[in-house]
Amino acid sequence: MSTVLNEQAAIEAIIGQASVCRLAMLDGDVPYIVPLCFGYHNNILYCHSSIKSRKLDLIRRHPAVGFEMDILARPIPAPEPCKWSMRYQSVVGFGKATIVEDEAEKKAALALIMAQYASGTYAFPESKTRITAVIRVDIDRMTGKTNR
């Protein structure tokens, strides 16, 4: 049985364990979704991209986005096909995406992205940050769901 999670701490625990954030954008009247590396802090998601990408073009045209991330996903078999289930924990949310222009915020965001995957301190050379875009998603709302 699935349970909706509304507590921020439970939602952030899932985010802290996730390895992929799927970002959904609009391309005219067609959805466009991409899996991304991400970082999270204080109700803000950060993702990175090439400075020339379809994602950035879409965000400039329509900044409203959706996102999803999940962990522990695996099927739960049963003797009958319609009794199968799925074990998972997930977060779904919506927000407004912008492209980070400030160099200090860009480097802080890249550090948050790295912190999602590894511990340590990293230097980001200007030669790399110059060709890297950072997307900031200010989260309007998000919920979690679990089926253990």
Side-chain angles (χ1 to χ4, degrees), residues 25-32 54 58 61-62:
M25 297 152 279
L26 282 176
D27 189 357
D29 60 353
V30 178
Y32 179 71
R54 182 176 179 186
L58 296 177
R61 279 188 245 141
H62 191 78

Side-chain angles (χ1 to χ4, degrees), residues 21-26 30-35 55 58 66-68:
C21 176
R22 292 162 192 88
L23 187 66
M25 297 152 279
L26 282 176
V30 178
Y32 179 71
I33 188 166
V34 292
K55 292 182 291 299
L58 296 177
F67 62 89
E68 185 277 345

